[in-house]
Amino acid sequence: MRTEEPRPVRLEDYRPPDWLVKTVDLDVSLHATATRVRARLVLEPNPKGAPGAPVVLDGDGLALKSLALDGAPLAPDRYTATPDRLTLAAPARPLSVDVETLVDPSANTQLMGLYRSSGTYCTQCEAEGFRRITYFPDRPDVMAVYTTRVEAEKDEAPVLLANGNFVGGGDVAGTNRHFAVWHDPFPKPSYLFALVGGKLGCVTATFKTMSGRDVELRIYVEPGKEERCGYALDSLKRAMRWDEEKFGREYDLDIFMIVAVSDFNMGAMENKGLNIFNDKYVLASPETATDTDYSSIEAVIAHEYFHNWTGDRITCRDWFQLSLKEGLTVFRDQEFSADQRSRPVERIVDVRGLRANQFVEDAGPLAHPVRPALYHEINNFYTPTVYEKGAEVVRMLSVLLGRAGFRRGMDLYFERHDGHAATVEDFIACFADANGADLSQFIRWYSQAGTPELAVTGRFDRKNKTFRLDVAQTVPPTPGQPVKKPMTIPLALGFVGPDGRDLPLVREGGARLERGVLTISQPVESFTFTGIAERPALSLNRGFAAPIKVSANAGADDLKFLAAHDSDPFNRWQAVQSLATGPLIAAATGRAGKAQADRGLIDALAAILADQTLEPAYVAQALSLPSESDIARDIGRDVDPDAVFDARKALRVKTAGALHDALAAMHRRMSNNAPYSPDAASAGRRALKNACLDLLAADGGDEGITLAARQFAAADNMTDRMAALATLSLHDRPERATALEDFYRRYEGDPLVIDKWFALQAAIPEPATLERVRKLTEHPAFSFANPNRLRALIGAFVQLNQTQFNRPDGVGYAFLADTVLALDTKNPQVAARLLSAFKSWRALEAGRRARAEASLRRVAAFEDLSRDVSDIVRRALAET
Ligand SMILES: [Zn+2]
């Protein structure tokens, strides 16, 4: 029998914990199938909790071995223990509880709690994994000081690590076992607990902090892979320095450790002093990693390090506040990357990602606010909305308050909330208080879902030399939120004069517009600017300062002008994209009359290719047309993915044909024989070279394919080899099969590289691909137990391959449903992630919509679904 809908957790039901934990003493004796965990918790009643409440500790699949109160064993009638809860009546005074549990790390296929990855013991406790290790008040507002003793066989686990500073260790007399003791003096929530035991290689370095303390840095990896850690270590040092310089934040322990493991559900985890990483975000060498891999490693290393302050020292009161740490820390890592690389290019890359993932989520059945008001399964809220839109909200604060005002707010936040579990209200109050600002309307960004839309009409009055902007804002309905209140939106703008220069922005009354930002707060507003002698071109939402959609009464001529002249590099790129979007939508929806419009795009790209002042990475971004999912999102409803694909392909072929000579010349200019270096400028030249190559081969003709095949064979680095293979993969020619075979032979035995090989094949936009993917699931290098393999093969197919996942016969949907059902009992978290590929099924044309719904209903009808999968499927199917 299917049980009724489980009860959701609601933000409004938050109550402070009844008991607080002062200290936790853990003694973990590692064993492959029977790890014994002894925990001594020193508890005290919370003055803010319910008086006289029993001690209630969370568990998940636990077996209690023994229990003592203040050192005395407890009789069974004094407590109740189930696998998911331990309750004991206790006097309302400080006391200690000793809990002993037995856990089986080898049987842990969910990869939450304590598990083994290729023989290494490791943990993942966010969000609710600690309760799979021992009974505990497993909520982030219970912060305690941890001391951890780890013991294991010397042969099996010569390296023993836990949070904090190393205190001591040694042999266990009379056995072949040894132990290590670690102490973390900073109170932390249980989700930041970590331990590791295994055979690991190590690279080390020393970092001198701003106050002159030496911190030891260590990165642990599978033995033999030490030489691939150099870039991660260098990124870590740069991140530590940057956080000191930009935010005044210094590292606090004597040692900072990163451990790379190969089986990991997420990207990486910011456990205090002991970050555990998916090895994909640590290991890099020129022969095995692309430029994109290098920049991801830099960003993820920085992100997890930055959490030491935004997440660890100041944590979240409850999981509804997840964006308090994630949105803020994504903003911080984006700013770090912008400072390390090209700021305009980083912004373009981030916005591409936001639109492809978050805008799509916001427009579909899984839409939710940056701070959701309820959840059934918190693991399903590690979403683009919480992370990327959350980062945009923080970025808007910096736009509204200016750099100095933003820093004042951050300083106050660190000063006020260090050592505590905070809320979104606490965070926003710091910016309001530090700047005397009213942010009471701004905070709606956290509670209202949906992407706001601004319709802007500009009216030029030649006689009075004025320019009037009429601005109307709407926020579309989303699940559970049919009607929205107006938002506070910083609208960064420029008026570009006929000579290409920005005109001064002077409001009626003579005040200059501060930082070029208008603050929008009403449903409909008008603003008049004076001293405008000629009609300017409107450059709106410069730098993409607000995560919104903007439409204006501007024509193709304005876009062409902005594509050539806008001083804001983001909007210059945006103008090129917009020139492509019009004809693409027209072609994909069967509307005619686009020939003229294509010309606008081609002229704009020709001008950009000829502009020697632009950095290569930027030109590469301009050459990259809107993606299939960008076009589908802009069409909005009744989308036919095949028509979108055909339209995009046709425009690529046409553009490449028209620009052939310029592309070929640029491809030659960007090619050189210098040895590989991962720096941003070199990466930019490779990006432009490979963007040119991909366009030159767009028609599948001999010239481009031969060029790609030659590059594939001659490349001395993974970026160039992979780019050539990606280009070849789009064309059903013998060169593709040869290159794929060659690639496998070269990198066989290197799982992270073979993941690229899986992903590329899964993304081939041809009807034979589903069968290819099915066959690859039986390939010896594939494993359903490893999240990286699953994401590479199945994830790439359902998320990147728009035409084949969305096959009109529905077999792509059926394949995903089968995979999710097979995976759900083993790793529900990854199964739910894969299922969320259905997030825009309602936007499809009727035939595909019906087949997608049938597959979703088949999943929904299954008995014993995990909470993760049943939550996604229920929301995906819900009538809004
Ligand atoms: Zn994070």
Side-chain angles (χ1 to χ4, degrees), residues 310 323-332 390 394 410 413 427:
T310 51
S323 193
L324 179 69
K325 75 175 178 81
E326 293 305 344
L328 176 55
T329 306
V330 170
F331 170 74
R332 274 151 56 70
V394 176
M410 286 299 294
Y413 179 60
F427 177 67

Side-chain angles (χ1 to χ4, degrees), residues 126 268-270 303-304 307 310 322 325-327 329-330 333 382 387:
E126 186 177 359
M269 179 64 210
E270 70 266 23
H303 177 96
E304 305 307 330
H307 268 314
T310 51
L322 183 57
K325 75 175 178 81
E326 293 305 344
T329 306
V330 170
D333 83 54
Y382 288 75
Y387 278 65

